[in-house]
Amino acid sequence: MTSTTTRVHAFADDALGDLDAVGVAVAISAGEISAAEAVEAAIARAEAVNPRLNGIVTSDFDRARSTAATPLTGVFAGVPTFIKDNTDVAGLPTGHGSAAVIDPQPAAASEPFAEQLLSTGAVNLGKTTMPEFGFNATTEFQDAEPTRNPWHTDYSCGASSGGSAALVAAGAVPFAHANDGGGSIRIPAAACGLVGLKFTRGRELPSAEAKDLPVNIISNGIVSRSVRDSAAFLAAVDQHTPNRGLSRVGLVEGPSDRRLRVGLILDSLRSTTDDETRAAVLQVAQQLEKDGHEVVEVALPVDEAFVRHFLHYWAMLGFSMHRFGGRLMHTAYDRSLNDSLTKGLARDFIRHPWRTPGAIRGLKKSEATYKAAFRENAVDVVLSPVLGYTTPLLGHLSPAAGYEVMLPRLLDYAAFTPANNASGGPAISLPLAQTADGRPLGIHFSAVHGDERTLLELAFELEQSIGFARITD
């Protein structure tokens, strides 16, 4: 493990080296390394960094070793990975990041998306940390150690897929499972210097939680260190269980010659983006213009009512988990142990339950509003910040700060990502910038439904023209 006072990573001259997931799979296929060697290197790396980062909630190393010794097929055959702790994997408990979930029992079966992910041939090493029920944008807990950002351990790693992002950024594994109900793929990707692609709604198999939601805001995917890993995963998902309502993207392998009309958004409805984030977005806009794309300022594809609707829907989910968590998850449950965010959301919902039908209608309407914004502005993609301000120090968004303190901070921070969850449109966070002190700063691109190809082609182009900072630099 390489460590300074604040930066932690495990990149080394071992079987994984500095390869991305595609690179590891190619090395295994070519016989340069074995799947067993790749998994053993990942276990050693995970054990080296986890005491500093706290990204693993359940390890499954022995089963990973056994799996790696069997024949594996798929685009990521033999590549080690982790799965987030809100997704059932046969034989492993699912704790949802909550102290209220008492002694969760091993799942009897893997849920469909876990099977879809593992159909790539990847080898699961265990479960990663997340904040309670994925409600927060930092992986911090009421009365437990936080998950730390490997770029600077005093800072948040984002959330809710924070453990996955921390482990990938630190080099423990090339990619890991993430899911996104309000930005939870893209936010930790931005905080940890990774690629975070949120699919169009319905592209992948639905999560267990999403099946009964009146508006499915949850998207499953991965966080990775390269565009080609995210592109390869999307192609594998399309091949495994194609959605008949969406055109297949296929394997995107590089930039396109097509020049785009790019809509630019700098500020959210709630607040003005901080100076460092604004400057980073404008620098990317200038690079796009230099490369021949047209950049035009556009309005947000949502209005003030959307913020109220999404917050109420979020509160409804908090109420559901606080009041009915044990019944929903079929486990022993002590709601007195819920953190301040879950309890605060539940209280907010109880004050205004009659707003629920209007909130659901409003969020459903956002899909048409989102599509219309692309059509009326005649733009191919929209460029914006991922977040309203740069990644904060640990404690700033912690539930230990109390609901009344953290909620307005959280709303200003996660101000850009929820529109894609409600509308179902695809989006990607790219690690194209850094703060003055060298921490990652993500840049956000959105596209119309089904057009992940354009996002990936543009991502490949920017990966080449601007480049992604490396934690080892």
Side-chain angles (χ1 to χ4, degrees):
M1 178 179 70
T2 298
S3 174
T4 64
T5 304
T6 59
R7 188 173 288 196
V8 177
H9 74 79
F11 287 98
D13 185 17
D14 56 14
L16 295 177
D18 63 355
L19 297 171
D20 64 0
V22 171
V24 173
V26 169
I28 292 171
S29 177
E32 297 169 6
I33 61 172
S34 67
E37 289 171 326
V39 165
E40 207 59 54
I43 291 171
R45 290 182 178 201
E47 289 179 330
V49 300
N50 195 58
R52 291 286 305 279
L53 300 180
N54 187 34
I56 302 171
V57 65
T58 304
S59 62
D60 198 19
F61 295 159
D62 287 342
R63 184 161 57 158
R65 291 182 173 110
S66 297
T67 301
T70 65
L72 296 164
T73 59
V75 66
F76 294 148
V79 179
T81 192
F82 282 92
I83 292 177
K84 185 176 173 181
D85 193 33
N86 61 356
T87 299
D88 282 350
V89 176
L92 295 181
T94 304
H96 296 272
S98 176
V101 179
I102 307 300
D103 191 25
Q105 297 303 299
S110 298
E111 64 180 80
F113 178 77
E115 293 181 348
Q116 193 171 39
L117 186 151
L118 295 175
S119 74
T120 65
V123 180
N124 181 41
L125 302 188
K127 293 286 199 76
T128 58
T129 53
M130 58 179 288
E132 185 166 75
F133 307 123
F135 291 151
N136 207 342
T138 186
T139 309
E140 298 181 60
F141 309 96
Q142 190 93 29
D143 298 303
E145 281 295 304
T147 301
R148 296 178 180 273
N149 192 320
W151 287 79
H152 194 309
T153 53
D154 291 340
Y155 284 81
S156 170
C157 64
S160 62
S161 309
S164 290
L167 293 168
V168 174
V173 290
F175 82 100
H177 168 231
N179 49 30
D180 191 320
S184 296
I185 293 172
R186 294 158 289 157
I187 292 169
C192 293
L194 303 175
V195 177
L197 173 64
K198 177 210 167 293
F199 296 157
T200 300
R201 180 161 46 219
R203 175 74 68 188
E204 80 286 4
L205 292 173
S207 65
E209 301 98 322
K211 289 181 179 179
D212 298 322
L213 291 179
V215 182
N216 178 13
I217 60 173
I218 301 172
S219 176
N220 274 279
I222 64 171
V223 286
S224 67
R225 294 194 299 267
S226 70
V227 177
R228 72 172 182 170
D229 279 359
S230 291
F233 182 71
L234 186 150
V237 164
D238 259 354
Q239 185 174 11
H240 180 267
T241 315
N243 183 323
R244 296 180 183 276
L246 293 171
S247 298
R248 289 199 192 188
V249 177
L251 180 60
V252 182
E253 298 184 271
S256 169
D257 292 333
R258 177 186 172 207
R259 298 298 85 184
L260 305 175
R261 182 174 161 90
V262 180
L264 173 63
I265 294 172
L266 291 171
D267 296 314
S268 72
L269 288 168
R270 280 186 53 89
S271 60
T272 300
T273 301
D274 75 339
D275 292 343
E276 201 161 17
T277 302
R278 175 184 289 268
V281 175
L282 288 172
Q283 286 174 2
V284 173
Q286 290 169 3
Q287 181 65 47
L288 290 170
E289 291 180 325
K290 180 181 176 182
D291 292 340
H293 301 284
E294 180 186 5
V295 179
V296 295
E297 288 198 42
V298 297
L300 285 161
V302 294
D303 57 16
E304 292 284 355
F306 173 84
V307 177
R308 295 194 301 273
H309 295 327
F310 196 90
L311 180 56
H312 183 80
Y313 195 76
W314 188 21
M316 181 191 76
L317 299 179
F319 171 79
S320 298
M321 297 311 301
H322 180 59
R323 186 63 62 90
F324 306 113
R327 188 184 309 172
L328 293 170
M329 293 180 290
H330 310 287
T331 189
Y333 191 81
D334 183 353
R335 68 184 186 185
S336 72
L337 299 178
N338 284 142
D339 70 19
S340 66
L341 179 55
T342 300
K343 290 177 178 177
L345 291 170
R347 287 195 303 271
D348 278 357
F349 177 80
I350 291 169
R351 292 187 185 108
H352 310 289
W354 58 86
R355 294 179 179 173
T356 304
I360 292 170
R361 284 195 302 271
L363 294 185
K364 287 183 176 180
K365 183 182 176 182
S366 71
E367 179 173 348
T369 304
Y370 179 93
K371 290 177 178 177
F374 281 86
R375 184 174 61 252
E376 292 165 4
N377 291 304
V379 295
D380 302 296
V381 297
V382 171
L383 161 65
S384 74
V386 177
L387 296 157
Y389 51 91
T390 59
T391 304
L393 286 162
L394 290 167
H396 181 74
L397 297 173
S398 171
Y403 182 71
E404 289 72 18
V405 171
M406 67 178 295
L407 183 66
R409 293 175 177 178
L410 189 55
L411 292 174
D412 288 342
Y413 184 56
F416 294 93
T417 51
N420 299 85
N421 296 90
S423 68
I428 193 167
S429 174
L430 297 174
L432 295 170
Q434 288 183 279
T435 62
D437 60 354
R439 292 177 292 110
L441 202 163
I443 305 298
H444 197 248
F445 290 92
S446 302
V448 76
H449 296 69
D451 197 16
E452 288 95 332
R453 170 168 287 275
T454 295
L455 290 177
L456 288 167
E457 288 172 345
L458 184 58
F460 271 115
E461 182 178 330
L462 291 168
E463 187 178 29
Q464 293 175 12
S465 63
I466 296 177
F468 299 162
R470 298 172 53 82
I471 200 169
T472 53
D473 292 343

